[in-house]
């Protein structure tokens, strides 16, 4: 059986592209003609990808009929006419967060339906991971090993966070996990200044080794967009995959859907464009944050794969380099390797602030024993270990492998089979306009990006996964993507009026919060209209400059 780990990136209104890719992948699995089982066992998402992760999980575990609604949610409902609500009660964001709440409740925590059914593509259990960015962070103490104060610990806060869900077989539509998953997905999509931060309850046990103030349990913590630190959570997906004790013997495929990872093949040197206005600076900054959040796990995974290939090549030649390693008579060499392995185990346990590596009264010894068992059972190392005739030689080789893994940062790591769904061009998606928010302004732009997501997912499946997935699309026209050039002049009149009204409302709010002196207050009738017009004009000019 082939197991899929689906990793969904972010990008604000580019969620329509991700939604198109998710729709195509779910459709491909439902129409698979190979006969072999291919199931989704892991889904992770950050930002807009978190919302799509919740929709995909619901479609798999409760009702496949939700799949067509992914398009309706992104193309029809996620519109500026609803999001730009000047009468919204929560003013901590420029957009109305109730739209996200209403959509997610309608699709992720909906009441039971007559056509509820479990998808044949559902892996059990289904594990879902949602990335979050904590506003306050979680404090940990690390021991670094300063030469002058070797026992001195320094404190730091981690702001990158996540929530993980394991949905059991037979989970019903009213299970309490759905509301927790929905709330986490909406919090992960709370892009700063666009949507208000969200508060979630977290168990103190979620943070072993952290320095938490005494008090209530669960903790109430505030979060914003999970894509700020981890927009394409490949590492989180790998962690969820490794919960299966026998994951190494399973056929895992990691599909990463990330609209920010593209290749034009023509760019050399620094990108063009000068951040010469507030709106331009905001666009560049949003692109930098989201691009780095999307790229970090992808870059790390490819680097990890390359280093693993080097390590495996080295290990195959290890017995040939020095035959004393496996010679039982070389007692001093055996003792040296053993002491080195024990030292590495002790350093790993000491450097772990969460305490997750430590077990029992001898944590370093227990940690080393667990790793010896793992290495001796790992089929990748079977050939190397078999080169030793005696048990002592195999033990030395296993300990040396443990040391080399630790030195290269590859302990308990595997080569990942990675597949990317992404646009080929930097100018291919309409939702890129206005720093990722442009798609909300025009239905046709969102429909364009949704179709592009379906097209690119279809290409990936056909070119790279045909060994396990082959299908005939029901309607090939869904992959037709016409060229589009979004601009402010192309925004529908109603959406433009909404934007202008929203900017004017923000100007009124700023003026109302300003506390002038007595004279200025008395003359407010004179200066307030002037300031209001100035703020509104500057805001609209900034938006038009983004074209």
């Amino acid at each position: 059986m082939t197991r899929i780990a689906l990793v969904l990136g972010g990008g604000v209104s580019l969620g329509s592209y991700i939604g198109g890719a998710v729709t195509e992948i779910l459709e491909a699995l439902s129409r698979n003609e190979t006969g072999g089982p291919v199931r989704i066992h892991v889904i992770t998402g950050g930002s807009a990808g978190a919302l799509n992760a919740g929709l995909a999980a619901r479609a798999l575990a409760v009702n496949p009929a939700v799949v067509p609604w992914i398009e309706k949610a992104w193309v029809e409902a996620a519109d500026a006419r609803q999001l730009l609500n000047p009468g919204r009660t929560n003013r901590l964001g420029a957009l109305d967060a109730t739209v996200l709440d209403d959509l997610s409740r309608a699709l992720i925590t909906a009441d039971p339906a007559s056509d509820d059914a479990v998808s044949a593509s559902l892996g059990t259990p289904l594990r879902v991971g949602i990335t979050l960015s904590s506003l306050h962070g979680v404090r940990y103490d690390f021991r670094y090993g300063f030469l002058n104060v070797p026992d001195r610990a320094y404190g730091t806060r981690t702001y990158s966070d996540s929530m993980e869900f394991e949905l059991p077989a037979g989970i019903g539509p009213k299970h309490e996990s759905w509301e927790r998953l929905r709330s986490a997905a909406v919090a992960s999509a709370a892009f700063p200044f666009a949507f208000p931060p969200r508060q979630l309850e977290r168990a103190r046990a979620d943070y072993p080794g952290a320095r938490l103030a005494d008090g209530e349990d669960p903790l109430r913590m505030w979060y914003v967009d999970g894509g700020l630190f981890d927009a394409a959570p490949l590492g989180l997906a790998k962690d969820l995959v490794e919960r299966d004790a026998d994951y190494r013997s399973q056929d895992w495929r990691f599909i990463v859907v990330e609209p920010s990872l593209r290749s034009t093949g023509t760019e050399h040197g620094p990108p063009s464009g000068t951040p010469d206005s507030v709106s331009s600076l905001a666009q560049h900054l949003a692109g930098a944050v989201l691009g780095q959040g999307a790229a970090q796990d992808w870059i790390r995974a490819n680097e990890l794969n390359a280093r693993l290939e080097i390590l495996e090549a080295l290990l195959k030649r290890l017995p040939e380099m020095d035959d004393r390693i496996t010679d039982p008579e070389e007692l001093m060499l055996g003792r040296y390797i053993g002491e080195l392995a024990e030292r590495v185990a002790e350093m790993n346990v000491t450097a772990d602030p969460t305490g997750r590596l430590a077990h029992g009264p001898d944590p370093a010894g227990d940690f080393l024993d667990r790793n010896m068992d793992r290495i001796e059972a790992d089929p990748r190392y079977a050939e190397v270990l078999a080169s030793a005739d005696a048990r002592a030689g195999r033990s030395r080789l296993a300990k040396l492998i443990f040391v080399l893994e630790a030195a290269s940062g590859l302990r308990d790591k595997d080569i990942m089979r990675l597949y990317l769904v992404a646009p080929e061009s930097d100018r291919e998606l309409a939702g890129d306009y206005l720093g990722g928010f442009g798609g909300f302004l025009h239905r046709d732009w969102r429909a364009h990006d949704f179709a592009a997501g379906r097209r690119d997912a279809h290409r990936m499946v056909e070119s790279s996964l045909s060994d396990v997935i082959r299908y005939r699309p029901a309607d090939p026209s869904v992959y037709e993507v016409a060229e589009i050039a979004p601009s402010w002049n192309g925004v529908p009149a109603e959406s433009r009026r909404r934007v202008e009204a929203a900017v004017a409302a923000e100007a009124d709010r700023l003026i109302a919060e300003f506390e002038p002196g007595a004279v200025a207050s008395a003359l407010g009738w004179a200066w307030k209209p002037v300031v209001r017009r100035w703020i509104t004009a500057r805001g609209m000019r900034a938006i038009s400059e983004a074209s």
Side-chain angles (χ1 to χ4, degrees), residues 8-88:
L8 307 178
V12 201
S13 71
L14 291 174
S16 57
Y17 176 89
I18 303 160
V22 169
T23 296
E24 183 64 21
I25 291 167
L26 294 178
E27 290 266 345
L29 292 176
S30 70
R31 298 174 180 275
N32 188 14
E33 298 175 354
T34 64
V38 182
R39 294 184 182 134
I40 297 177
H41 282 257
V42 168
I43 309 174
T44 62
S47 192
L51 292 172
N52 281 303
L55 296 174
R58 186 74 174 191
L60 287 166
V62 172
N63 192 344
V66 168
V67 173
W69 286 91
I70 298 176
E71 180 176 11
K72 291 180 172 63
W74 285 108
V75 175
E76 305 297 341
D79 191 271
R81 289 172 295 179
Q82 284 75 44
L83 293 168
L84 288 169
N85 176 16
R88 67 191 183 282

Side-chain angles (χ1 to χ4, degrees), residues 113-128:
S114 59
D115 57 350
D116 281 350
V118 175
S119 170
S121 306
L122 171 68
T124 54
L126 175 65
R127 300 187 178 108
V128 182

Side-chain angles (χ1 to χ4, degrees), residues 129-439:
I130 302 296
T131 62
L132 300 160
S133 298
S134 171
L135 283 181
H136 302 294
V138 178
R139 174 73 177 267
Y140 289 92
D141 285 340
F142 291 84
R143 294 193 179 276
Y144 186 78
F146 297 100
L147 294 178
N148 60 322
V149 280
D151 295 328
R152 177 73 176 272
Y154 72 93
T156 186
R157 290 183 178 273
T158 60
Y159 294 88
S160 179
D161 205 344
S162 64
M163 289 185 70
E164 301 168 7
F165 305 86
E166 185 162 311
L167 308 180
I171 183 173
K174 303 299 289 183
H175 194 278
E176 58 91 20
S177 292
W178 292 115
E179 176 56 30
R180 292 178 57 244
L181 175 56
R182 185 200 71 81
S183 298
V186 173
S188 183
F191 192 88
F193 307 111
F195 294 106
R198 310 292 290 222
Q199 189 179 56
L200 299 175
E201 290 187 350
R202 304 300 305 273
R204 298 174 74 89
D206 290 343
Y207 305 98
R211 288 185 58 186
L212 301 172
D214 295 335
E216 60 187 7
D217 190 9
L219 305 166
R220 288 172 174 80
M221 305 176 71
W222 287 93
Y223 295 101
V224 292
D225 193 335
L228 294 181
F229 298 111
D230 200 356
L234 187 57
L236 178 57
K238 189 68 162 61
D239 290 342
L240 296 178
V241 165
E242 291 178 0
R243 286 189 182 181
D244 285 343
D246 58 343
Y247 74 92
R248 282 195 173 91
S249 63
Q250 298 165 349
D251 178 18
W252 278 98
R253 314 289 180 99
F254 292 80
I255 300 176
V256 181
V257 181
E258 180 45 71
S260 298
L261 293 179
R262 307 163 207 171
S263 173
T264 61
T266 57
E267 185 175 292
H268 300 281
S272 60
T274 302
D276 54 0
S277 66
V278 173
S279 63
S280 177
L281 177 61
Q283 278 191 274
H284 281 77
L285 183 59
V289 172
L290 293 176
Q292 185 61 32
Q296 60 182 4
D297 267 4
W298 185 258
I299 294 171
R300 191 181 301 120
N302 279 279
E303 179 187 351
L304 182 67
N305 280 355
R307 287 160 57 201
L308 280 167
E309 290 176 358
I310 295 171
L311 177 64
E312 289 183 7
L314 172 63
L315 292 176
K316 288 180 180 179
R317 303 297 300 273
L318 194 58
E320 303 173 15
M321 293 180 182
D322 193 337
D323 56 8
R324 295 182 303 156
I325 295 174
T326 59
D327 186 351
E329 302 299 323
E330 293 288 343
L331 299 180
M332 290 300 295
L333 179 60
R335 180 178 177 181
Y336 174 74
I337 293 174
E339 290 176 349
L340 187 60
E342 290 169 4
R343 177 60 178 152
V344 169
E346 182 179 346
M347 291 174 63
N348 273 270
V349 171
T350 303
D352 174 36
T354 69
R356 290 175 178 168
L357 300 182
H359 293 281
D362 180 18
D366 292 344
F367 179 63
L368 179 58
D369 290 342
R370 291 198 305 273
N371 276 277
M372 290 302 96
D373 292 340
R374 171 184 61 80
I375 290 170
E376 291 178 3
D378 193 328
R380 296 176 303 167
Y381 303 137
E383 182 180 348
V384 177
L385 296 176
S387 66
D389 296 329
R391 170 64 186 170
R394 289 192 294 274
S395 177
R396 286 181 201 171
L397 282 172
K399 289 177 180 177
L400 199 53
I401 290 171
F402 170 67
V403 171
L404 290 171
E405 283 183 338
S408 58
L410 299 176
R411 176 172 53 83
D412 205 19
K413 301 299 182 184
D414 302 276
I415 291 178
M416 301 170 66
R417 304 179 74 176
L418 302 172
Y419 303 85
L420 175 65
V421 177
E424 295 180 352
S425 168
D426 285 339
R427 292 174 293 276
E428 202 167 347
L429 298 184
D432 275 333
Y433 176 61
L434 287 178
F437 289 90

